[in-house]
Amino acid sequence: MAGCKGPQSTLDPAGPSAQAIATVWWWMFAVAVLVLIGVVAAWLLAMRRGAASTSALQPDGARSERRWLVWGGLVLPGVSIAALVAFGSPAGLHQLPLPGGLRDAPAPLEIQAIGHQWWWELTYPASGVTLRNEMRIPAGRPVDVLTGSADVIHSFWVPRLGGKLDAVPGRTFRVRLQADKPGVYRGQCAEFCGRDHAHMTMTVIAMEAAEFEAWLASAASRQPAPVSAPAAAASQ
């Protein structure tokens, strides 16, 4: 618990997607503590009663063992798993690019994240801006990240903003992130991908909406213009 702080802590969420994940984690932690207390209490009770009174050779002992088997081995795990699925599934919806939210909410921003050994290529398809190991996003606006890979399997993950998603060669997956307020967040490849995997990080900068639009326009104006086929042929 003391180590769950810092720029990569999932327990310090900075957006709705990460908050949903943290909420599920805290509920799982609370239930796990209750189960641990119950198991320790049952163990201490069994130790106190002694082996003789709970022997399976006695009728009462056999019935007691069957009750423990049914309620502790079947009913309790079944109810716990069903509750976890029912409670955790809605949290997973925050990671998906589903429609909804406020009517006047801004449209999601799309960013393409391509993993390389060992760096991230971040591209804004609408403007043609490409960054290396840096992703800038507007605060308060959903961002759909389209992940892919140029070589091996990587995993895109910004712990304080949302869940992780694999970047697979030849496939494109999508995950939704959002930062509630401006700030600097850390991203990390979460799939071992070779020698320098530990250094495959990125910086995510959340900016005010107006500041982001100004930066994007400025960055787009500095991008080299694409060379047309006739011009390329003439230059040869």
Side-chain angles (χ1 to χ4, degrees):
M1 294 295 292
C4 294
K5 284 188 174 182
Q8 286 190 255
S9 174
T10 58
L11 302 183
D12 186 17
S17 296
Q19 180 62 60
I21 295 174
T23 300
V24 172
W25 188 92
W26 281 113
W27 274 100
M28 291 178 63
F29 175 73
V31 172
V33 170
L34 292 177
V35 171
L36 176 62
I37 293 174
V39 170
V40 172
W43 171 66
L44 292 175
L45 179 62
M47 294 292 291
R48 183 174 181 179
R49 292 178 61 184
S53 63
T54 58
S55 173
L57 299 177
Q58 299 180 13
D60 290 343
R63 286 195 297 269
S64 176
E65 287 191 356
R66 282 195 295 270
R67 286 196 297 268
W68 277 104
L69 176 62
V70 172
W71 290 99
L74 299 175
V75 176
L76 178 60
V79 172
S80 300
I81 294 174
L84 178 60
V85 171
F87 184 76
S89 295
L93 298 179
H94 286 271
Q95 322 305 316
L96 302 177
L98 300 175
L102 300 177
R103 182 176 301 176
D104 57 348
L109 172 70
E110 285 195 353
I111 300 177
Q112 187 180 46
I114 302 297
H116 299 262
Q117 290 180 304
W118 291 269
W119 59 282
W120 289 101
E121 177 186 359
L122 289 309
T123 302
Y124 299 75
S127 59
V129 174
T130 298
L131 302 177
R132 182 186 178 102
N133 292 335
E134 179 180 297
M135 184 171 73
R136 299 197 178 208
I137 61 175
R141 179 180 175 184
V143 177
D144 290 346
V145 180
L146 288 72
T147 69
S149 173
D151 35 56
V152 299
I153 297 178
H154 302 281
S155 186
F156 180 90
W157 190 32
V158 186
R160 296 189 62 202
L161 299 184
K164 66 180 70 172
L165 188 67
D166 281 350
V168 181
R171 301 289 298 273
T172 299
F173 299 122
R174 186 185 298 249
V175 64
R176 175 163 292 180
L177 309 179
Q178 182 174 325
D180 287 335
K181 58 184 180 180
V184 178
Y185 308 95
R186 190 173 189 266
Q188 172 74 49
C189 175
E191 180 78 24
F192 180 73
C193 54
R195 184 192 63 198
D196 291 334
H197 160 72
H199 303 290
M200 189 173 171
T201 63
M202 80 181 79
T203 300
V204 180
I205 303 174
M207 312 166 69
E208 294 287 357
E211 182 183 1
F212 171 79
E213 293 297 337
W215 167 82
L216 188 62
S218 175
S221 67
R222 297 194 302 269
Q223 291 289 312
V227 180
S228 62
S235 63
Q236 295 178 351

